[in-house]
Amino acid sequence: MKYFLFLNHPKGKDVYQLTKKREFLLREHFKHIKTLSMNLNINGQNYNCIIDYTAFSNLSNFDCFNCQDPCCADNPTIYNSNTRDFILDNLVLYNSLTKNIDILQENGYSFDDILNSIQNDNSMVPEKTVEEEISLCTCSFKPNNKSTLCALHSMCLEKKLSSEDIIRIKPLVCNLWPLEIIAEDDMSLLYITLPDDFTTGFTIEDYYDTPCINKELVSSATFRRKNPEGFSEKNYVPFIVAYKETLIKIFGNKFFNSIKNLLISEELIFESDFDDIKEQIFKKL
Ligand code: SF4
Ligand code: SF4
């Protein structure tokens, strides 16, 4: 089995291949839970999917502006042309956030080398500078000495682009993070879930270390020693509420409404949960 969202990871199979143990745990999990089956079109391809829908009621609080555990530590994908073209069209803004062009010039690269790299290199910077001179993900930036954010997303918001544009420009894995999609080797079936107490043995992200999806963690003294501000417990909302726009734009209204209606009928969420929520995709510093 493969981590579907990491199939284009620059480190390839080492990242996207599940171990046999993880595969076993996933199969056991999906044998014992309530699921929803649906055909989904993802990036123009149709897939049969089995959805761990109750996970969409899990509480989340994506307080990235106060996060000390940035999840943008490395490049999550070999970037596609949408991302590359957007950066090439907005070089000044890109450099003002990331400093990448200045850094590469300080290290002896010409402007032409830099443009060539944005167009052709896996991580849009010369390979030997990845996670070295260009620390963390190429597209990350630090607005202050605390948090690390996505320059692509911030540039889109700065330019007042639509949610469709944000989704087109940011890598799919980043738009959906921390949603987990695992594929059979022959891609005949996708399993969709979220990292939580039950799935942690096979998801790629570590639920126990991730404050935005683990409300219990933020009440621990260990977490508060490192992260005294933010992640207010009252700001946790069901994942389907925080990611409503993203889920609709990527998977469609049928996907969103089917899950929402099931969760409401099982009283795992309430219609009122959707009142007055600023959705994650539109949050600005
Ligand atoms: S770990 Fe969660 S809160 Fe922190 S930066 Fe990543 S998505 Fe945001
Ligand atoms: S969200 Fe942006 S900065 Fe973070 S890993 Fe994805 S592309 Fe990089």
Side-chain angles (χ1 to χ4, degrees):
M1 298 180 111
K2 302 166 183 169
Y3 291 113
F4 177 80
L5 294 171
F6 290 88
L7 286 173
N8 285 327
H9 195 281
K11 294 177 185 150
K13 213 172 177 178
D14 288 349
V15 169
Y16 71 66
Q17 192 74 50
L18 269 77
T19 61
K20 286 291 166 211
K21 183 175 173 203
R22 285 179 174 228
E23 193 173 319
F24 171 79
L25 291 171
L26 175 140
R27 293 194 192 286
E28 284 301 299
H29 177 73
F30 275 86
K31 255 189 234 166
H32 294 104
I33 57 164
K34 290 187 283 188
T35 57
L36 173 65
S37 294
M38 198 177 280
N39 190 272
L40 291 176
N41 186 291
I42 307 175
N43 276 350
Q45 292 264 14
N46 285 323
Y47 299 97
N48 292 319
C49 300
I50 177 160
I51 304 156
D52 177 3
Y53 67 87
T54 64
F56 286 74
S57 65
N58 291 356
L59 293 177
S60 60
N61 174 7
F62 294 96
D63 197 357
C64 307
F65 307 139
N66 283 303
C67 188
Q68 297 292 315
D69 285 307
C71 51
C72 300
D74 62 3
N75 289 283
T77 191
I78 298 171
Y79 294 96
N80 68 25
S81 58
N82 295 337
T83 307
R84 294 173 194 267
D85 291 347
F86 178 68
I87 289 178
L88 290 169
D89 288 345
N90 296 281
L91 281 177
V92 174
L93 183 54
Y94 167 72
N95 187 49
S96 74
L97 295 180
T98 63
K99 321 286 183 245
N100 288 349
I101 296 176
D102 294 342
I103 294 170
L104 292 175
Q105 285 182 328
E106 274 172 14
N107 282 275
Y109 292 93
S110 70
F111 192 63
D112 281 350
D113 292 336
I114 294 166
L115 292 184
N116 185 45
S117 200
I118 295 172
Q119 281 160 338
N120 298 305
D121 286 339
N122 282 353
S123 301
M124 299 190 293
V125 289
E127 206 51 46
K128 63 181 187 186
T129 66
V130 175
E131 295 175 47
E132 297 291 337
E133 289 86 352
I134 307 295
S135 56
L136 307 172
C137 170
T138 303
C139 301
S140 67
F141 79 104
K142 291 189 75 71
N144 48 47
N145 286 4
K146 298 194 300 180
S147 50
T148 303
L149 301 177
C150 178
L152 301 172
H153 200 140
S154 297
M155 288 162 70
C156 289
L157 293 177
E158 174 85 24
K159 293 172 69 62
K160 300 192 172 22
L161 298 188
S162 64
S163 54
E164 285 92 342
D165 283 331
I166 299 173
I167 285 166
R168 181 177 55 77
I169 289 162
K170 258 177 98 171
L172 182 67
V173 59
C174 303
N175 284 312
L176 286 173
W177 193 93
L179 196 83
E180 186 69 273
I181 306 182
I182 293 170
E184 294 286 0
D185 281 330
D186 61 2
M187 307 298 267
S188 58
L189 189 59
L190 304 186
Y191 301 80
I192 302 181
T193 184
L194 276 160
D196 66 15
D197 238 350
F198 304 103
T199 62
T200 194
F202 63 84
T203 54
I204 203 163
E205 299 298 338
D206 182 357
Y207 163 75
Y208 293 120
D209 246 1
T210 312
C212 42
I213 48 169
N214 184 345
K215 191 176 173 190
E216 246 175 76
L217 174 65
V218 307
S219 60
S220 74
T222 313
F223 175 77
R224 284 300 170 194
R225 177 175 164 81
K226 194 166 66 165
N227 215 133
E229 291 172 5
F231 294 99
S232 168
E233 291 184 38
K234 71 176 171 29
N235 293 337
Y236 280 74
V237 297
F239 178 81
I240 192 171
V241 173
Y243 268 43
K244 175 182 170 187
E245 179 78 4
T246 303
L247 295 173
I248 290 174
K249 292 288 154 51
I250 293 178
F251 297 123
N253 278 307
K254 184 177 166 207
F255 172 88
F256 175 80
N257 287 327
S258 306
I259 295 176
K260 178 183 169 191
N261 292 339
L262 275 168
L263 294 177
I264 288 179
S265 72
E266 295 182 21
E267 298 191 346
L268 291 170
I269 62 167
F270 300 92
E271 192 66 60
S272 59
D273 288 332
F274 291 87
D275 296 347
D276 303 325
I277 292 295
K278 175 109 178 160
E279 288 184 44
Q280 192 60 27
I281 196 167
F282 299 122
K283 277 193 194 164
K284 269 181 111 167
L285 190 62

